[in-house]
Amino acid sequence: MKYKITDPKYHFITVFDDETGVYVRTGIIKNGRDTGADPFMASFPHLIDVGVMGHCIHGKTGLCQKAGIGCYQNGAVTEKPNMTIDDFRWIAEQCRGRTNQLALGGRGDPDQHEHFEELLQICRENGLVPNFTTSGYGLTPELAAVCGKYCGAVAVSWYRSTYTHNAIRMLLDAGVKTNIHYVLGQNSIDEAIERLERDDFPTGINAVIFLLHKPAGQGTRENVLAPEDPRVKRFFAQIDRDHSFRVGMDSCNVPGAIRFCRNILPQSLDTCEGGRFSCYIGADMVMSTCSFDRKGQYGAALRPCTIEDAWNSEAFEHFRNRMRSACPDCKKRELCMGGCPLMPEIVFCSSEHRKMEQ
Ligand code: SF4
Ligand code: SF4
């Protein structure tokens, strides 16, 4: 089914197909015509990352660390309660008819939440498509069947283990649209290039999505990729060509795609959507522009404050203003907006025009 959202404040329309996940946004509409100018933001988030997990059952075992992934949520050393059903329902009810998808996440695998199925059910009751990412470690055929009933797509983190392959197989067998989330850093870019060169990912998957490594939580600075690293160019050359599966990336990677890719339609690229079309709500009910805002610089506490109040808060506006005013002399400004306002070191740009206010 296709959902249409008309934005009365910023004058554009979005269409979202809850079966295929296709999401299209018009330009700003004036006098009934599309002006071709992209809207800077929506009047309510279209996608919300909901950190339903407050703690991770794998934290103490170092599952992520063994896979070379530094948990950006500090899952190995932080234990907080998971989000309650009541809080989750409160969020979902506000999103009804205004948001397309809820991406469940937080500090751990959402499939290990004590009320996992109920969370997914609440999404569907409110016309929202639930998605989530998992290590796959605790996934069972029963949980995969629950995903098949409710989820738009499920992503398995690329931890290169037997449980990774088992989870992918279980999800595919349950008819779930299955993606791989691959964290791209110094320690994993060589493998990414090689696998893309050979189309070497499990058969049957829908897409491999590359998520840029960030120096947040247990993610180290040493693992951040430098913009002039020649491997970065080689990686984007692989992104730029066809594969037997789809290839995607998070919006944090977009400055790199703008710089190095020639075949990707610029209209299909969207730079950081944090605070513009998406946001994060943690299990502690603090809403921020992005889940990587670990210091809570742009956070607004919810309840009694609503999602709409937080979206219109000064903290969110401050974040957006940094993008609005970034790199005024750069020709790619419209598309890139200076990249990540949180962590300048992850932006694949070395231009002399680069400038972002603090
Ligand atoms: S704020 Fe930075 S880390 Fe967050 S979505 Fe934007 S680019 Fe990515
Ligand atoms: S100068 Fe700024 S807007 Fe231009 S490409 Fe670099 S980061 Fe993006």
Side-chain angles (χ1 to χ4, degrees), residues 208-256:
V208 183
I209 315 284
F210 290 92
L211 311 178
L212 194 56
H213 165 81
K214 288 115 182 156
Q218 289 161 267
T220 64
R221 283 190 186 274
E222 292 69 49
N223 201 25
V224 172
L225 282 161
E228 296 313 318
D229 187 326
R231 296 175 301 171
V232 170
K233 191 173 176 187
R234 283 175 48 216
F235 166 76
F236 281 105
Q238 285 302 318
I239 295 285
D240 215 13
R241 72 171 190 85
D242 289 336
H243 297 273
S244 54
F245 40 82
R246 290 171 194 223
V247 173
M249 63 191 123
D250 58 4
S251 56
C252 328
N253 260 308
V254 164

Side-chain angles (χ1 to χ4, degrees), residues 214 250-252 272-274 290-292 319 339-343 346:
K214 288 115 182 156
D250 58 4
S251 56
C252 328
C272 175
E273 297 204 330
C290 162
S291 60
F292 288 92
F319 180 91
C340 181
L342 288 177
M343 293 161 280
I346 68 163

Side-chain angles (χ1 to χ4, degrees), residues 255 258-259 271 326-340 347-356:
I258 293 171
R259 181 169 172 196
T271 192
C327 319
D329 301 324
C330 176
K331 290 199 180 79
K332 299 176 190 161
R333 213 216 86 77
E334 286 293 302
L335 264 183
C336 174
M337 296 187 206
C340 181
V347 181
F348 288 132
C349 173
S350 319
S351 164
E352 53 179 340
H353 298 306
R354 201 167 157 213
K355 194 174 163 205
M356 192 175 268

